[in-house]
Structures are given as structure tokens and as C-alpha cells.
Amino acid sequence: MLAKTRVTEVQVYRGTATVTRCGEVELKAGRNILYVAGMTNSAAADSFKLKFPEKVRAVNIQIVGMDALGDDEEKETDRIAKEIAEINYQIETCNMMLDLRKKNGDFSNRTNITIEEQEKIMAALPEQILTLHKELDELTEKQKKLNDEFAKAKEEEDKPIIMAELAADEDMTTPFILQYQENQCSWVPKYEIEYKDDQSPLAVSMKAQIRQSSGEDWKQIKVTLYTGNPSGSKELPEMSTIELSLYEPPKAPPKGMRGVKAAMMDSAAMAGGTENLASMALMGMSMNAAMNMATVKMDTAEVSEEETMTAFILPNLRDVLSDTDGNIAELQSFTVNAKYNVLAIPSVDDKCYLTAEIVAAEWPLPPAEAAVYLRDTFAGNVYVDAGADTETLLLSLGQDERLTVVRTESPKKTQDVFLKNTKKQLCKTNIRIVNNSSDTLSLLVKDQIPVSTDKAIVIDVSNISDGVQDEETGEVKWLLFAEPNKTVSIDLEYTISWPKDKKLTERRTGGLGGKKFCNICGAQVFGKFCPECGSVVN
């Protein structure tokens, strides 16, 4: 007895899913052999569960192939193959009739037929041939559909079958449930962040993109999304031993070799010091007025805090189609207070960016990519990770073209200080910001002063235009208000002194290196959590 099932509910985790299928079967009192179809080839074979009412007991359950059904159960492929053979026979007959009709219209070798009979045959021949062609087209179309059905049936028969030997107390028609883990199903969060004006909080919408490639379309099912993974609890973290040892400097190489190596290191350091960090690739923003239309909103999900993760129970029944990225669900919407500034780092990038600073604890969502909208205008994508060990979260809302920034470095002047046997270099930088808009803008400007890694190198700061300096990193910040159609000027001055017989080198730390990748799925990680599978990445 082969029992078919249909998907009624799916619980989707970040990297897998629990599929629930339902079916109904007639059992006789005593022993029954039941074959249950429905599992996919991508399902975890050892994860299935069969659930029956208490009056039904299981004697033996195992996974088998379609061949185990024997001759008592006619395979779908066998039934379709018989229909295809019948269609092929009809097509062959139709082609023979066409050939016969065409030969019947050839009178070159026939002398025993009158002119009247020839005219009668020729008058009926076009309609007869047309009818046969129509019949042939219909048969060919049926043949194509049957071949497609055969391919699908063959694919279904190649899937695993569950053989269950059951014992029933009485004759009954009973429902049953099949559950298993589907490996080809997952979801990723997607955010939409909308900025209205400097006085309004950010409007945040969390959506989910559900992906499944089981080869089966799930129609009208209940869907629940979980923020974690069942596999995430398999192993507990372990601490490795911390060992301390005394540092022993390496033996000095021969003088000639040391000179060559030092020259190579100085050359590399000088080359590294001239490289700038890569500029941010964000789309320009447009401050157009919003149209008198609203974005279509979906019903949001019901949020349930489970023991180890959060569950989003999607409203209504929905379709989750296989091999498509169009399975989008609305999870929740909220607003978050933000402090807005225009950020300028002219030593790295000559553009300005509108930013929103929020408290990380007020962003209760897993890390993911977010689409940013400025008054209904798409401004680009940013990656948001509130779990990246920070108290505040700085979001880029896109390039701000209302400000123009020009950074000018004066030529560096170096002189010898004979009494102290040192060299001294004077560095001057001027930053000019022009507000081209009619609004007063809050502006955060960042620049930097080099940091000495050697006591022999002394840096004296003479002017930072009321900025705030971080002596550990050398970063200097200015929080200003740029008035409409006015220019703000900032001066940065400092001197560097070092021994006359030494060579000064400059090296930038950070930059484009240090990329992290998830050791579970291989995706690039920007914060603490993987954006694809949700795993923690140290």
C-alpha cells in the first residue's frame, strides 16, 4: 500500500528546515505493510519521524526504494509508459494513413479508374489530409505531456520510500504525519531602513528571504522561521591552554645581509605609507519629495521567544517555490532613535556621507544586509551588525552631495636641529567644507596625526582647531555645524622630530586586509555573525 503525502508546515532555520507532511491511509485490523512517499533526495535520511494515533503500533520502519513495492503496486512510470506506447501507436497509424491518402491521390499508374472517380477522390482529399494533420498535432502534444509526466514520475520514484510495518487494533481510516530535516532550505534576513528627516527616527523593516531547492514547490503551507540552527548546539566551546614564554631575539645576520634586508624593509614601508584606504562605494542620494503613494505592506509575523532562539510565525498560508529567490516574507517593523551627522574623512575619501548613530542594544535583529531609502529614494546597501562588540552602531545612509570638502596638505619642511642632533619636519593641513544647501547640517570631520612607535620619534601638536585628539590612535575629530552657503575652515599642524642619523618611515595599519570568512558555509563575515548561516565567527 503506497501512501502519498503533502507538505502542510515548514519550520525554517538559518541552514536547514523541518518539513511536516500529512497523509491518510486505510488500515486493517492486524498487520499492515505501508509505503510512505514524500521524502526528497536532499533530506537527511536518518531524521524522519512517522506519527500515528495511539491505536496504531509500529513493528518495523526502514527506508527502501520503489522496487520494494513489488508487483502488487503499479508504478506511476509503468502506467504512463503504457499510455505513451498507446499514443505512439496512434501516431504511427496516423502517419500511415497520411501516406496512404497521398498515394491514393496519385493516378499516374492507375488505369482502371474513371475521371469522375478521380475528381471525387481529389475533392475529398484536402479535408481528409487536414483532419489527419490536426489529429497528428493533438497526439504529438499528448505525447509531449506524457513524456514530461514520465520524467517527473521517474524523479519521484527515485526518491526514498519509508516502509512501515504497522499493527492496528481495528479497521480504520487514519491520518498520519511524516517529518524530516530538509537540507536544501534556509533563510536570510533582509532589512529596509528609511530615513525621513533629521528629526525623525529611522523606520526599520525586517524581511526574510526563504530559499529552498528540494525540487518540490510547497503550496499553501504554514511557515515558521527560526533565528538559529539545530546543528549549532552539537558541540560546546572549549578553551585552549595559554602558554607564556620569554622572548629571545634572533641572532643578527651578517652585516652585508642585514643591510640588504633593511633596505628592502624600508622600501616596502615607504610604499605602504603612500597608499590610501579604499573609498566607500555607495550610491548618490537624491532628496526628491515623496510621491503620494505608499509601499504595499504585508502582514507581519508573530514573534515568539523560544528557549534558545527567536521564532517568527508567518501569518496566513503561503507558497514557497523551489529554486527561486522570490520567497520574501515580512517579519517585523519598528523605529529606532538615531543621531544624524554628515561624516567627512577627507584623508581617505573626498566625499561626504550621511550617517545615523544608534545604540546597538536598540537594534534587536541579527546581522544582515540592509537596503537604505532616503525619503523613498534607494541610496544603496549597507551591512548592519549590532553584535560586533560595540555600544553604538554607525550606519551609512549614502553619499551626501550637499557638502563639498577640500583637503590641502602644505609641502613638508624638514630642517636640521644641530644642537640636539635631530631632524625636524613641519606638517600643515587645511580642510575646507562648503555647505551648498539651505539647511544647517551637523558635521563630523575626521583626520589623523601619526603615532610614534619609537621613543626617539617625538610628535608635537601645535594646532588642531579645537578638535578632540585620541592620543592612542592619532585620530582627531571635529563636531561642527555647517551653516547654509558658508565655508568652515579647519587647520591641523604638528612637528615630527627624530635622530638625524635615522631614516623616518611611515606605515598605515588596517586597510583592506583582515577579511574573515565563515568556517561553516564560507561566506565573508564583517562582524561577529555569519550573514548566510548565522554561525558565530571569532
Side-chain angles (χ1 to χ4, degrees):
M1 183 191 311
L2 179 63
K4 294 186 177 181
T5 56
R6 63 173 295 270
V7 179
T8 57
E9 182 178 356
V10 177
Q11 296 170 315
V12 186
Y13 301 89
R14 294 299 298 273
T16 184
T18 300
V19 178
T20 300
R21 309 180 73 100
C22 291
E24 189 176 75
V25 65
E26 292 184 4
L27 298 179
K28 296 180 180 180
R31 181 176 177 272
N32 297 264
I33 299 295
L34 177 66
Y35 296 93
V36 180
M39 285 186 64
T40 63
N41 288 320
S42 55
D46 58 349
S47 67
F48 75 89
K49 288 183 179 181
L50 274 179
K51 297 181 180 181
F52 278 86
E54 293 183 356
K55 293 182 178 180
V56 179
R57 300 179 305 280
V59 178
N60 181 29
I61 299 178
Q62 59 181 311
I63 293 181
V64 297
M66 183 62 71
D67 294 338
L69 271 66
D71 299 331
D72 296 337
E73 291 281 349
E74 183 184 24
K75 296 181 182 179
E76 188 73 4
T77 51
D78 293 340
R79 181 189 65 79
I80 298 175
K82 292 178 182 178
E83 293 187 21
I84 291 175
E86 178 65 24
I87 289 291
N88 291 339
Y89 174 75
Q90 294 179 29
I91 290 175
E92 183 181 0
T93 302
C94 196
N95 284 322
M96 290 176 59
M97 290 296 296
L98 273 173
D99 291 340
L100 184 61
R101 294 294 182 187
K102 291 176 182 178
K103 290 178 180 179
N104 198 34
D106 183 6
F107 306 106
S108 58
N109 296 323
R110 298 170 62 183
T111 57
N112 59 343
I113 188 171
T114 64
I115 297 296
E116 290 80 8
E117 290 174 332
Q118 291 182 21
E119 290 177 349
K120 185 177 180 180
I121 292 173
M122 292 301 295
L125 188 61
E127 184 177 353
Q128 293 172 346
I129 292 178
L130 181 61
T131 300
L132 287 171
H133 274 296
K134 288 181 178 180
E135 184 179 352
L136 188 60
D137 289 342
E138 292 176 358
L139 291 171
T140 303
E141 184 65 26
K142 288 182 181 180
Q143 183 190 50
K144 182 179 180 301
K145 290 182 179 180
L146 286 172
N147 285 332
D148 292 341
E149 290 179 16
F150 182 86
K152 291 180 180 179
K154 184 67 170 63
E155 185 178 348
E156 288 296 318
E157 291 177 3
D158 288 340
K159 294 179 180 179
I161 301 292
I162 299 173
M163 189 278 290
E165 185 177 350
L166 305 174
D169 293 339
E170 57 188 28
D171 293 349
M172 65 176 72
T173 298
T174 178
F176 68 92
I177 292 174
L178 167 64
Q179 286 183 330
Y180 57 86
Q181 292 299 119
E182 175 56 63
N183 293 323
Q184 295 298 321
C185 185
S186 62
W187 75 278
V188 292
K190 298 284 184 180
Y191 303 137
E192 286 185 3
I193 300 174
E194 184 179 357
Y195 163 87
K196 295 181 180 178
D197 52 58
D198 289 348
Q199 286 72 44
S200 301
L202 285 175
V204 182
S205 174
M206 179 185 182
K207 297 183 178 181
Q209 186 174 36
I210 308 168
R211 300 167 179 162
Q212 68 103 345
S213 54
S214 66
E216 177 186 30
D217 292 338
W218 300 335
K219 299 291 187 73
Q220 293 299 290
I221 62 171
K222 179 183 177 182
V223 179
T224 303
L225 307 180
Y226 289 88
T227 54
N229 267 320
S231 60
S233 59
K234 283 185 177 179
E235 297 180 1
L236 294 175
E238 295 181 1
M239 289 192 301
S240 56
T241 304
I242 300 176
E243 298 178 346
L244 296 179
S245 60
L246 295 175
Y247 173 72
E248 296 184 5
K251 295 181 180 180
K255 290 184 177 179
M257 290 299 294
R258 186 172 65 177
V260 174
K261 184 177 181 181
M264 293 174 63
M265 291 178 65
D266 289 345
S267 176
M270 291 295 288
T274 60
E275 294 180 0
N276 287 330
L277 299 178
S279 60
M280 290 179 284
L282 295 174
M283 299 182 64
M285 76 173 186
S286 173
M287 292 296 187
N288 297 331
M291 299 176 63
N292 294 325
M293 299 181 71
T295 304
V296 176
K297 298 291 185 181
M298 294 183 283
D299 293 335
T300 56
E302 177 186 345
V303 182
S304 174
E305 296 294 337
E306 306 291 340
E307 286 80 0
T308 60
M309 61 188 80
T310 301
F312 296 97
I313 305 169
L314 302 188
N316 310 318
L317 300 180
R318 61 190 302 118
D319 296 344
V320 181
L321 306 181
S322 181
D323 301 310
T324 178
D325 289 333
N327 300 310
I328 304 296
E330 188 94 27
L331 298 186
Q332 63 181 139
S333 298
F334 62 94
T335 59
V336 59
N337 293 323
K339 181 180 179 182
Y340 302 103
N341 285 307
V342 179
L343 175 64
I345 311 179
S347 63
V348 178
D349 193 340
D350 59 0
K351 303 179 183 65
C352 295
Y353 297 89
L354 180 62
T355 63
E357 183 179 352
I358 65 176
V359 178
E362 295 181 4
W363 185 277
L365 302 177
E369 191 175 76
V372 178
Y373 290 87
L374 303 178
R375 300 172 187 169
D376 287 336
T377 301
F378 179 66
N381 293 307
V382 296
Y383 186 80
V384 185
D385 185 1
D389 300 327
T390 180
E391 293 183 359
T392 60
L393 193 61
L394 190 65
L395 302 181
S396 172
L397 302 182
Q399 182 181 332
D400 196 329
E401 298 179 353
R402 296 174 293 178
L403 294 175
T404 302
V405 178
V406 178
R407 183 180 188 271
T408 305
E409 287 189 14
S410 300
K412 295 180 179 179
K413 297 179 181 180
T414 304
Q415 60 183 5
D416 294 336
V417 182
F418 295 103
L419 295 178
K420 295 184 178 181
N421 198 28
T422 62
K423 282 188 175 182
K424 191 173 185 179
Q425 187 179 76
L426 177 63
C427 305
K428 290 185 178 181
T429 301
N430 176 257
I431 302 172
R432 296 174 67 251
I433 304 104
V434 181
N435 184 356
N436 303 310
S437 72
S438 58
D439 300 323
T440 298
L441 303 176
S442 178
L443 173 65
L444 177 61
V445 182
K446 292 184 180 183
D447 212 293
Q448 61 190 142
I449 294 171
V451 177
S452 173
T453 59
D454 193 312
K455 292 181 179 180
I457 302 173
V458 179
I459 301 172
D460 291 321
V461 180
S462 56
N463 184 14
I464 58 173
S465 297
D466 297 325
V468 178
Q469 179 186 359
D470 185 331
E471 295 185 358
E472 184 177 346
T473 64
E475 182 182 81
V476 184
K477 295 181 182 179
W478 295 270
L479 185 59
L480 310 167
F481 289 98
E483 297 182 2
N485 301 311
K486 289 189 177 181
T487 301
V488 177
S489 181
I490 297 173
D491 290 315
L492 184 66
E493 297 181 14
Y494 58 91
T495 58
I496 306 174
S497 302
W498 71 96
K500 185 178 180 180
D501 59 341
K502 302 293 183 181
K503 188 175 182 180
L504 189 67
T505 63
E506 180 181 302
R507 181 178 66 89
R508 287 186 181 271
T509 61
L512 299 177
K515 292 182 179 179
K516 294 194 300 182
F517 296 90
C518 177
N519 54 11
I520 302 298
C521 67
Q524 186 175 353
V525 180
F526 300 92
K528 184 176 180 181
F529 299 94
C530 175
E532 291 295 328
C533 68
S535 302
V536 178
V537 180
N538 297 319

